[in-house]
Amino acid sequence: MPPLVLALLIGGVAGLRSMTAPTAIAWAAAAGWLPLAGSWLGWMEWWGTPWIFTLLAIGELVADKLPTTPSRKAPPGFVGRLLSGALCGAAIGLAASSLPLCVAAGVLGAVLGTYGGHAARMALGRAFGTDLPAALVEDLAAIGIAAFVAASL
């Protein structure tokens, strides 16, 4: 699959769940599927990086269900999603020698994932009559797409 498409997809994951995207990238890098050694993102290949991101992703999955969690569209969360998409796009771009375009695709994916994910979750919440099943569907979508991207690298 073309690196730009993968960067856009992983950016979309960052828009849905900001820590799931770098978790998938870190696992792919640690497994040797995404060669980043010798680059400024070489730390993603360190054996501990995917475990740290996994813990952060689990924390995010839990926190997302809390009623006090702020909107993903609020500035701090939105900026975090953009940075996550940019980081993941950069990792794909470094490995594919297409850094600027993949960073842009990752950021664009994060914007689309943030707003599209919010709209989809609100629609699913209305359909289910409650938010929890909609949030769980969103979790599964983010994890599934992230796993697809990691396996495609």
Side-chain angles (χ1 to χ4, degrees), residues 34-141:
L34 187 62
L36 297 172
S39 75
W40 59 276
L41 287 177
W43 56 272
M44 296 285 275
E45 291 187 352
W46 178 61
W47 69 268
T49 302
W51 293 104
I52 293 167
F53 276 122
T54 298
L55 291 174
L56 292 171
I58 291 169
E60 180 183 34
L61 292 174
V62 171
D64 176 67
K65 313 307 178 284
L66 301 175
T68 57
T69 301
S71 170
R72 71 182 80 199
K73 299 184 302 183
F78 185 63
V79 170
R81 291 166 195 276
L82 295 178
L83 292 173
S84 178
L87 172 73
C88 294
I92 292 170
L94 278 172
S97 299
S98 184
L99 181 63
L101 290 175
C102 285
V103 169
V107 171
L108 176 61
V111 171
L112 296 173
T114 298
Y115 286 100
H118 180 266
R121 181 160 167 182
M122 293 300 105
L124 282 172
R126 285 190 298 276
F128 286 125
T130 182
D131 184 60
L132 183 60
L136 295 174
V137 167
E138 187 178 13
D139 291 344
L140 290 174

